[in-house]
Amino acid sequence: MHAPMDALADTALRSGPRPTVGLVLTGGGARSAYQVGVLMALAEFLPRARNPFQVIVGTSAGAVAASVLAAEAHHWRRAIAGLERVWANFRSSQVFHVDTGHMLRAGAHWALSLLSGGLVLSPPKSILDNAPLRELLSVHVDCEGIRRSIDRGHLRAFALCATSYTSGHSVSFYDGVKSIRDWSRVQRVGSRCELTLDHLMASAAIPLLFPPMKIGHDYFGDGAMRQHHPLSPAVHLGADRLLVIGVRARRDAGVMVKRAQALVPSPGEVFGYMLDTLFTDQIYGDLEQLERVNDLVRCAPETTHGERNIETLMMAPSVDPREIAARHVAQMPRGLRALLRVIGGRDESGVQLASYLMFEAGYTRALIELGYQDAMNARTALIAFMNGEKLPQVMTSPGVAQAT
């Protein structure tokens, strides 16, 4: 038990000027279970505090947890408990059709379309059918609750990020207090709207794997595709401190796990690397850029154009999720394993791709536990950050990165 520190954290959040803390949940497919573990630890750190995240931004799989937290901002610990129940008992069949029949029909459709040049059958919209995901989200995500959270003062703003296939822009679909205005920057815009399940499905529509989603007159796909500045939406929405929860161990970014002999990467390995790049690289680049802007704001404020000092803290896995995935590959449905074999992502060579697609309880529970333990190890830094306090200059907790 940590009663004295919990009481201190709770008091600090209830008294004095409260920083506007934003939560940024990146994409990551099944790896997003790690984010749930970090959030579970935070709920223990702050047992009686009101919702500590006035701004919440989610992209791709991170958008799912973000939506649940935003809709239940008045009971944020209950929302986290609900997320843990879902993620700890996941099955791939809840996300996409993985039975042999669906896989065979999908493969036959692709083959016939290719052989006929699209004359007999047009190409399918995607490799996988994620209709089960929509059904799951319709039960667990109350989109109307997001507006209620804002109206009742439990939340300042919330955004889901998607990519327009028409304009190529990164679009932040948001709702928030009236003072927030739409924004437009190079290849990225913020658009106020009434958020629906379609926006959430669009944000999580991984290219090729899942079908794009039509909203209005445009089709949208995964929000990470053109999201060169993933921290920008939270800043535009008014956050001055950002807790970012990523899904890739910072030191591990290669195409494949280490093996005795270097081999030509298979299509499955390259696809896994593409997902890794899609979901994570922009975050680290944006953190570095934000650090440079903060230095400029502190040292030469007269040269800035309204920029603010934005403090950030990032949590990322201390253990490579590929290592965890390798221990659970046998739990994947037979149809999904067959798909990985076809595209050259089998056994140890396919764990990178599998680590994003393995929505199976054994794997997701291991990631939840890792996120929880990483956050517990970073307890002091996390509580200081949430309280608006100055963080120590050097932090050695695995998976913690700071830019001030």
Side-chain angles (χ1 to χ4, degrees), residues 22 24 26 227-232 235 241-248 250 279-295 298 309-316 385 399-404:
V24 178
T26 69
Q227 199 177 39
H228 303 304
H229 299 280
L231 304 182
S232 172
V235 175
R241 283 197 160 202
L242 300 179
L243 175 62
V244 185
I245 309 180
V247 297
R248 185 182 77 197
R250 189 165 189 169
F279 291 134
T280 305
D281 281 1
Q282 294 91 335
I283 280 288
Y284 289 117
D286 211 16
L287 283 168
E288 291 182 359
Q289 179 171 325
L290 188 57
E291 188 171 3
R292 290 193 292 269
V293 172
N294 286 343
D295 288 340
R298 286 194 297 266
N309 185 78
I310 308 295
E311 295 188 349
T312 64
L313 185 67
M314 181 168 182
M315 290 295 303
F385 186 80
V400 179
Q402 177 192 3
T404 59

Side-chain angles (χ1 to χ4, degrees), residues 13 17-24 52-56 231 234-235 238-244 290 294 308-313 380-392 402-404:
L13 281 174
R18 186 170 179 239
T20 302
V21 181
L23 175 66
V24 178
F53 303 111
Q54 282 296 294
V55 174
I56 301 175
L231 304 182
V235 175
D240 48 40
R241 283 197 160 202
L242 300 179
L243 175 62
V244 185
L290 188 57
N294 286 343
R308 296 173 286 129
N309 185 78
I310 308 295
E311 295 188 349
T312 64
L313 185 67
T380 301
L382 281 167
I383 290 179
F385 186 80
M386 300 303 296
N387 289 350
E389 300 170 3
K390 184 70 175 177
L391 297 179
Q402 177 192 3
T404 59

Side-chain angles (χ1 to χ4, degrees), residues 21-76:
V21 181
L23 175 66
V24 178
L25 298 179
T26 69
R31 289 190 183 193
S32 294
Y34 175 84
Q35 298 170 335
V36 176
V38 175
L39 292 170
M40 287 173 58
L42 278 172
E44 289 191 20
F45 297 165
L46 311 170
R48 292 175 297 279
R50 57 179 291 190
N51 170 36
F53 303 111
Q54 282 296 294
V55 174
I56 301 175
V57 176
T59 300
S60 194
V64 176
S67 297
V68 173
L69 289 176
E72 299 188 48
H74 57 302
H75 289 302
W76 68 282

